[in-house]
Amino acid sequence: MERGPAIFTGVVFVLFGGGLLAWTATQLRYRRPVAQGVSPVASATVASVAAVLALAVGGWCLTQV
């Protein structure tokens, strides 16, 4: 991978994962639904897994520089 695109992609994934994780935690803290019309446990689990995966992919991209 070239340096520029790897850094950009890694930063985008890290920002998205961090933002999604922070938003999910905030929603859970105030007992608000993470997704409308879905089980609160299932939506929080899916959102948390997606956030952690995005953080992992972003970290991987940044280590490949």
Side-chain angles (χ1 to χ4, degrees):
M1 233 192 243
E2 295 179 18
R3 279 182 90 100
I7 293 171
F8 176 76
T9 304
V11 169
V12 167
F13 272 110
V14 167
L15 287 175
F16 174 75
L20 181 60
L21 199 59
W23 180 80
T24 302
T26 302
Q27 293 299 94
L28 292 174
R29 182 176 184 184
Y30 293 114
R31 301 200 187 272
R32 295 183 190 147
V34 176
Q36 295 291 345
V38 183
S39 166
V41 174
S43 61
T45 302
V46 170
S48 298
V49 167
V52 169
L53 285 175
L55 285 170
V57 169
W60 179 81
C61 286
L62 291 173
T63 59
Q64 299 302 312
V65 175

